[in-house]
Amino acid sequence: MAFLGSVVRRVASALRSPIPLLCRTNPRTYSSEHTKEKSVPYEKTLRQEDGAIFGPTKPLPRSADVVVIGGGSLGCQTIYHLAKMGISNAVLLERDRLTAGTTWHTAGLLWQLRPSDVEVELLAHTRNVISKDLEEETGLHTGWIQNGGLFIASNKQRLDEYKRLMSLGKVYGIESHVLSPAETKDLYPLMNVDDLYGTLYVPKDGTMDPAGTCTTLSRAATTRGAMVIENCPVTGIQVKTDDFGVKRVKAVETPHGTIETPCVVNCAGVWATKLGEMAGVKVPLIAMHHAYVVTERIEGIQNMPNVRDHDASVYLRLQGDALSVGGYEQNPIFWEEVSDKFAFSLFDLDWDVFMQHIEGAINRVPVLEQTGIKSTVCGPESFTADHKPLMGEAPEVRGFFLGCGFNSAGMMLGGGCGRELAHWIIHGRPEKDMYGYDIRRFHSSLTDNKRWIRERSHESYAKNYSVVFPFDEPLASRNMRKDPFHQVQCPLQIPNHSISSGILTEEGCVFQERHGWERPGWFNKDGPAPVKDYDYYGAYGIRTNINYKYNELLGKEYTFNFPPHHDVIKSECLSCRHGVVVFNMSYFGKFYLTGPDAKKAADWLFTADVNKKPGSTVYTCMLNRRGGAEADLTVSRLEPGAANLPLAPESDGDAYYLAVGGGVAEHNWNHIRSVIQDRGFRCQLTDHSEDMGMISIQGPKSREVLQEVLDSDLSNNAFPFSTHKVVSAAGHQVRAMRLSFVGELGWELHIPRDACIPVYRAVMAAGAKHGIINSGYRAIDSLSIEKGYRHWHADLRPDDTPLEAGLGFTCKLRSSIPFQGRERLEKQKEEGLKRHIVCFTIDEKIPMFGLEAVFRNGVPVGHLRRADYGFFIDKTISYGYIRHPDGGVVSSDFIKTGDFTLERMGVTYKATAHLKSPFDPENKRVKGIYS
């Protein structure tokens, strides 16, 4: 018998050779062949023990409304929810038996609390389906065991994170308790609590049985008319091009026949990339070995909760009278050659890699040192660049949906994601805000970049158990997309002024990564902090980056208090409020909408009336069919004329310039394109994001600075707010827009790429005597929340309507012009709002970041979406959506008459609710009125 303690000592003393590659290929380490003697911690699987079955288990239909491919957790949940929503002509195809891929060996844990409101809701639905719904529908027990969950904190920051989860859980009615080390010992007597700071106990967490769950899901789905066919591999996806040049799914090919279908759902897990290739769809995931061991019997472990010791990167799953022990290491093994023959199979466990989990487990539960190992389980799992699933309709092919890349969390997220995916397929959009899982969150230039997929997936895997801090940034695959201002040589010399080149890297810019772009976060006073190539955290024999200033600055930001660079952000913000600053916003998406039906498309796409006279710029939203905000953006009406690219497209009719947030540009692009296709509009959408830079000059002195640079009258009468024109700057043509996202007088300059540096230098030279500085997005976040401007996917999401978000002014409801989502808004306006965004301030100098619970008269009514510090009013400002506890209308009186408190890490703070922005509520400053 092998004991865990002896394994640690044996491996620790073994001589190890360096690992020259990013994966181990020595057959001594693992095998891709079936390892039939290994066992998993379940009483049964769906594996056929009486020999193989040749051919499909049912005859294939000639056609289907939907074909789901893959019989794991997500495939079974998706077919179940499709059938439950009324799609009876749906088919699930599994190449082997249900659960044969990765689902059969999963640990099956379900934790209810995560640092995301949407994920909490998804997990709650999974739990309801597994613990209640399926048994009521079928009379079958799924194998759900409610033994509770225990999160371990070995330091204050970790416990602070758990307290944040506890506060969020109160909004959703999830019971949780922060326990002292002594209380933890009472709950879990076998645990070592000497090094604990505290724990978070969630009594209604539990575990799921993959075979029992998938069997019951398939039974419930087939009862409603769906068809589940096993032993039927897919060999091809037929794609057709329609009369408008749009690629669409046509059929699914198998060795046993072809099924005509307009919709395919890729739930193939590790094999999803290969399935995507059949249709010309990029699926950015990578396969890795993921392992756990199952112990022999442990006296006294019975009925104990499951444990996650995040700081040791280990979990302990109760398995009857034993434990399953696993975790996430910094040197996972990549599965380089994914085999189609790998079914109900496992790899040999590499103890060199796995040893770190054993050490952490023994420290937490010391009795494990003398406990034997019953079995090892090492199987393939699929992982993604941000440790989030891949879902939604693929940009390349209409009707091809993704439901894969679940990062070993497919069982716990399966129910919620299966329901959202079914709703997505049937209604064109999910019910919840699924942008964080939507394949369109990644730019198309990245989704087939092997370096990006590999590096990002590795970092996300290695950091899976890390504390989720507000200002974290990835280190992997940086500098993928850089704008012209990022870094150039030749310093700028300005006589009699102590200003350097102004080019961002040299100016100490601490960059943030968004959509592959490097954008300015804030400016370090101690000189440059460039981002280096990824070092895999020293794994695989790669030398760790030394003297890495960027990483050091990032590490200092790891706090739930005010970050150490709080005063730097303050300086940037107040420079904007009192003087003038330059924001580099070049990462913005920049699209042109032209063609015979451009006006029709604009009327339907945009909530606001963008058909003002040429030269106008309008802030607007785009909605989905349910009235939810898919985007907010500015739309500028252009003069017809000959092409002057990239500043103006060729057009003999209506033409529009769209400026969209750079982090969501791919999502916006695909939303517009899909609407154009679905409505049959004859128009073109062209992308010039890479061809232009964009700087925003903001502050009371911005007009004085720019009047020296631009050959145009910038007075209020000559250049009013929300207008644009092509002007000359430093001898180059640029498009100037009088806009602000920070609530000050200011202009944006949209500049052809080759002209960016000379125009920028001219601006900095003109601004030197006014004290102009560079500023970053951390300042924009603060300034914009102080002014009450919305951030898409924070204050404004696809599950929020403009009316709920306080953006009714962007909607042309007084006109008769139809637009997508209008009917929902009209109905909502008539019935009254059942939820509404509210601004809160607190008097205490306490930081908040979002997810804090909101209480009205002591009753939880919502949570914060976004929070930041407003340096001009010197208060913490936050925004959150609140509901009426009785489900009634959230009126102004309901807000005015409530006593509000905000809970941060278990501590409540009295809050003031505001119906208008606490800063410049009359909107004078953007009009240049300073008094």
Side-chain angles (χ1 to χ4, degrees):
M1 177 185 294
F3 291 97
L4 294 183
S6 62
V7 168
V8 172
R9 289 187 291 272
R10 186 177 71 249
V11 177
S13 62
L15 294 175
R16 302 191 190 93
S17 58
I19 307 172
L21 302 176
L22 298 186
C23 66
R24 294 176 178 266
T25 56
N26 189 328
R28 177 191 64 81
T29 307
Y30 68 88
S31 169
S32 61
E33 300 300 319
H34 296 211
T35 50
K36 300 177 182 179
E37 300 306 315
K38 301 293 168 63
S39 63
V40 295
Y42 305 107
E43 294 181 1
K44 61 178 182 175
T45 69
L46 298 181
R47 184 177 184 174
Q48 288 292 108
E49 300 295 346
D50 53 352
I53 297 177
F54 298 97
T57 53
K58 293 185 180 72
L60 271 63
R62 296 184 60 182
S63 64
D65 294 330
V66 182
V67 175
V68 179
I69 302 173
S73 171
L74 259 297
C76 291
Q77 289 279 11
T78 301
I79 196 79
Y80 164 74
H81 282 93
L82 282 168
K84 198 168 184 178
M85 292 182 191
I87 304 298
S88 58
N89 186 23
V91 176
L92 184 149
L93 298 179
E94 163 56 43
R95 64 182 175 88
D96 196 272
R97 307 291 293 181
L98 295 184
T99 76
T102 61
T103 298
W104 74 286
H105 58 72
T106 182
L109 293 157
L110 190 146
W111 318 93
Q112 294 179 89
L113 291 178
R114 282 197 158 187
S116 160
D117 57 341
V118 175
E119 290 191 352
V120 169
E121 294 171 6
L122 295 173
L123 292 165
H125 183 69
T126 298
R127 189 183 179 284
N128 286 338
V129 168
I130 302 303
S131 66
K132 182 173 68 72
D133 294 353
L134 282 174
E135 189 166 352
E136 291 177 357
E137 292 178 35
T138 65
L140 299 175
H141 182 51
T142 63
W144 165 254
I145 298 172
Q146 181 179 298
N147 60 313
L150 192 61
F151 285 1
I152 306 299
S154 302
N155 54 71
K156 181 180 183 299
Q157 288 183 327
R158 182 69 75 178
L159 192 61
D160 284 346
E161 180 183 40
Y162 294 163
K163 289 177 180 178
R164 280 171 54 79
L165 296 181
M166 178 186 66
S167 293
L168 179 62
K170 290 180 181 180
V171 178
Y172 289 98
I174 298 173
E175 180 186 359
S176 65
H177 309 274
V178 172
L179 306 181
S180 67
E183 291 170 323
T184 303
K185 186 72 172 180
D186 290 341
L187 175 67
Y188 203 119
L190 295 181
M191 184 171 289
N192 167 33
V193 300
D194 293 344
D195 58 347
L196 291 195
Y197 207 88
T199 58
L200 179 68
Y201 175 50
V202 186
K204 295 182 181 179
D205 285 353
T207 57
M208 298 168 285
D209 171 57
T213 298
C214 290
T215 299
T216 314
L217 286 167
S218 62
R219 179 80 60 86
T222 55
T223 299
R224 287 184 166 89
M227 186 177 291
V228 176
I229 304 175
E230 298 171 280
N231 288 80
C232 188
V234 171
T235 55
I237 307 290
Q238 293 181 15
V239 175
K240 64 180 179 181
T241 303
D242 66 17
D243 295 339
F244 294 94
V246 179
K247 293 182 178 179
R248 299 183 183 274
V249 168
K250 179 183 179 183
V252 174
E253 298 174 348
T254 81
H256 312 288
T258 298
I259 304 175
E260 299 282 339
T261 183
C263 182
V264 162
V265 191
N266 183 351
C267 296
V270 166
W271 297 269
T273 299
K274 289 188 175 182
L275 189 66
E277 290 171 354
M278 296 179 186
V281 170
K282 296 179 288 186
V283 183
L285 57 76
I286 197 163
M288 299 183 195
H289 292 204
H290 193 55
Y292 58 87
V293 300
V294 185
T295 73
E296 297 286 357
R297 186 178 187 277
I298 303 172
E299 184 61 41
I301 204 70
Q302 296 81 1
N303 302 316
M304 290 296 100
N306 303 311
V307 174
R308 250 187 177 178
D309 189 338
H310 289 96
D311 296 314
S313 193
V314 67
Y315 68 80
L316 307 171
R317 176 202 188 274
L318 184 71
Q319 178 58 40
D321 57 3
L323 288 178
S324 300
V325 179
Y328 292 82
E329 56 279 348
Q330 291 199 346
N331 57 337
I333 299 170
F334 293 96
W335 192 19
E336 301 292 355
E337 299 296 332
V338 177
S339 169
D340 292 338
K341 306 299 183 184
F342 205 89
F344 291 112
S345 303
L346 295 170
F347 306 112
D348 286 334
L349 182 67
D350 186 325
W351 284 104
D352 286 353
V353 173
F354 193 78
M355 180 185 70
Q356 57 197 281
H357 305 312
I358 300 299
E359 292 174 322
I362 290 174
N363 174 65
R364 189 55 53 221
V365 181
V367 70
L368 288 175
E369 186 166 18
Q370 300 303 318
T371 301
I373 301 169
K374 183 168 65 175
S375 64
T376 63
V377 179
C378 182
E381 289 281 2
S382 58
F383 295 91
T384 64
D386 55 3
H387 218 74
K388 303 290 184 185
L390 307 176
M391 294 181 63
E393 191 173 32
E396 301 91 342
V397 179
R398 301 297 304 273
F400 191 101
F401 284 80
L402 302 177
C404 52
F406 274 79
N407 304 277
S408 75
M411 284 299 296
M412 73 172 86
L413 289 171
C417 288
R419 180 176 67 172
E420 294 305 309
L421 193 51
H423 203 280
W424 216 326
I425 293 162
I426 296 169
H427 301 289
R429 286 299 303 153
E431 282 191 302
K432 300 188 187 304
D433 164 38
M434 298 298 289
Y435 175 74
Y437 291 7
D438 193 329
I439 182 62
R440 299 176 298 172
R441 70 189 185 272
F442 298 134
H443 190 260
S444 57
S445 66
L446 302 176
T447 50
D448 62 350
N449 185 311
K450 293 182 178 179
R451 174 197 159 200
W452 176 80
I453 296 169
R454 190 183 193 90
E455 288 187 3
R456 279 295 177 85
S457 298
H458 172 271
E459 184 177 35
S460 295
Y461 183 100
K463 291 180 67 175
N464 182 45
Y465 277 5
S466 298
V467 177
V468 180
F469 288 109
F471 302 118
D472 196 14
E473 294 291 329
L475 296 176
S477 281
R478 297 293 296 268
N479 298 314
M480 302 296 287
R481 305 174 78 192
K482 295 187 288 189
D483 62 63
F485 306 106
H486 185 272
Q487 185 174 16
V488 296
Q489 301 303 316
C490 303
L492 173 65
Q493 302 295 331
I494 303 174
N496 303 320
H497 291 286
S498 58
I499 186 168
S500 64
S501 70
I503 303 306
L504 302 189
T505 301
E506 284 78 6
E507 284 292 289
C509 183
V510 179
F511 287 97
Q512 300 173 332
E513 187 277 337
R514 299 293 184 272
H515 224 45
W517 287 105
E518 297 293 321
R519 76 174 192 183
W522 55 282
F523 285 82
N524 175 44
K525 302 297 186 183
D526 298 326
V531 180
K532 298 184 178 183
D533 288 342
Y534 186 51
D535 62 7
Y536 284 85
Y537 293 89
Y540 314 117
I542 297 172
R543 180 175 296 177
T544 305
N545 286 319
I546 58 174
N547 300 321
Y548 194 178
K549 193 170 185 178
Y550 179 85
N551 195 19
E552 292 171 4
L553 291 171
L554 200 63
K556 292 177 181 178
E557 296 276 280
Y558 288 170
T559 177
F560 291 112
N561 293 316
F562 289 119
H565 312 104
H566 190 63
D567 289 341
V568 179
I569 312 302
K570 176 181 179 179
S571 176
E572 293 183 17
C573 289
L574 295 183
S575 293
C576 182
R577 290 283 184 242
H578 298 302
V580 59
V581 302
V582 176
F583 297 107
N584 174 25
M585 305 174 75
S586 298
Y587 90 123
F588 259 50
K590 310 167 192 78
F591 309 148
Y592 289 117
L593 181 63
T594 59
D597 288 345
K599 181 181 182 301
K600 290 182 180 178
D603 284 342
W604 184 253
L605 278 163
F606 307 124
T607 58
D609 184 1
V610 299
N611 286 297
K612 313 292 184 181
K613 64 180 181 181
S616 64
T617 297
V618 177
Y619 172 67
T620 183
C621 295
M622 291 191 293
L623 308 184
N624 52 47
R625 298 170 191 172
R626 301 178 62 247
E630 290 291 330
D632 69 330
L633 67 160
T634 58
V635 178
S636 299
R637 183 98 182 270
L638 304 179
E639 291 273 6
N644 179 25
L645 293 174
L647 284 178
E650 181 178 0
S651 173
D652 57 1
D654 298 296
Y656 308 88
Y657 176 48
L658 283 53
V660 305
V664 294
E666 185 78 12
H667 176 271
N668 283 205
W669 170 269
N670 283 285
H671 173 76
I672 296 168
R673 192 181 63 166
S674 295
V675 170
I676 290 172
Q677 293 171 359
D678 292 343
R679 303 289 295 184
F681 293 130
R682 296 171 300 152
C683 54
Q684 296 79 44
L685 185 68
T686 53
D687 185 357
H688 289 271
S689 303
E690 306 274 357
D691 304 333
M692 284 190 283
M694 174 181 164
I695 55 175
S696 181
I697 299 89
Q698 300 288 325
K701 297 179 181 179
S702 60
R703 180 183 274 130
E704 297 173 60
V705 173
L706 288 176
Q707 195 63 79
E708 293 187 31
V709 179
L710 306 183
D711 68 341
S712 180
D713 183 355
L714 301 183
S715 65
N716 284 333
N717 289 334
F719 208 140
F721 182 72
S722 204
T723 63
H724 67 94
K725 60 180 71 172
V726 174
V727 299
S728 178
H732 299 271
Q733 282 197 320
V734 305
R735 187 174 298 280
M737 294 186 181
R738 188 171 166 192
L739 295 170
S740 177
F741 193 54
V742 295
E744 298 294 336
L745 173 70
W747 280 261
E748 294 174 0
L749 302 183
H750 299 242
I751 313 167
R753 191 175 185 92
D754 292 343
C756 283
I757 297 305
V759 171
Y760 173 80
R761 285 177 169 160
V763 169
M764 297 304 288
K769 59 180 172 288
H770 299 287
I772 195 169
I773 65 168
N774 289 300
S775 189
Y777 268 83
R778 289 278 287 278
I780 289 178
D781 290 342
S782 170
L783 294 163
S784 63
I785 200 171
E786 194 169 46
K787 185 63 183 75
Y789 292 155
R790 306 293 184 251
H791 277 202
W792 193 83
H793 205 243
D795 320 290
L796 184 65
R797 305 191 313 199
D799 53 343
D800 306 318
T801 72
L803 301 183
E804 294 167 341
L807 297 178
F809 68 90
T810 68
C811 301
K812 52 194 176 212
L813 291 175
R814 292 184 180 179
S815 76
S816 59
I817 303 171
F819 59 90
Q820 181 156 273
R822 176 171 182 145
E823 291 182 1
R824 169 75 188 284
L825 300 190
E826 289 175 332
K827 183 178 180 182
Q828 199 173 54
K829 192 173 183 179
E830 179 184 344
E831 296 177 347
L833 300 177
K834 302 298 178 65
R835 59 198 290 272
H836 200 284
I837 198 167
V838 178
C839 173
F840 298 99
T841 57
I842 59 172
D843 292 332
E844 292 88 348
K845 296 295 189 292
I846 297 295
M848 293 189 180
F849 305 104
L851 298 183
E852 290 83 2
V854 179
F855 293 82
R856 180 185 182 275
N857 299 343
V859 178
V861 292
H863 66 274
L864 300 183
R865 288 278 191 84
R866 184 163 73 106
D868 213 315
Y869 200 80
F871 293 100
F872 190 86
I873 70 169
D874 201 23
K875 289 180 183 289
T876 292
I877 306 170
S878 58
Y879 280 84
Y881 286 80
I882 66 170
R883 296 180 180 272
H884 197 294
D886 299 329
V889 172
V890 178
S891 63
S892 296
D893 285 342
F894 178 80
I895 298 170
K896 290 177 183 177
T897 58
D899 290 326
F900 288 95
T901 55
L902 307 178
E903 181 175 312
R904 173 189 183 270
M905 300 179 187
V907 179
T908 58
Y909 299 89
K910 184 174 176 56
T912 301
H914 302 267
L915 296 177
K916 291 185 177 181
S917 165
F919 169 81
D920 189 25
E922 296 179 3
N923 213 33
K924 291 182 178 180
R925 295 169 77 99
V926 295
K927 299 172 184 175
I929 303 172
Y930 290 90
S931 57

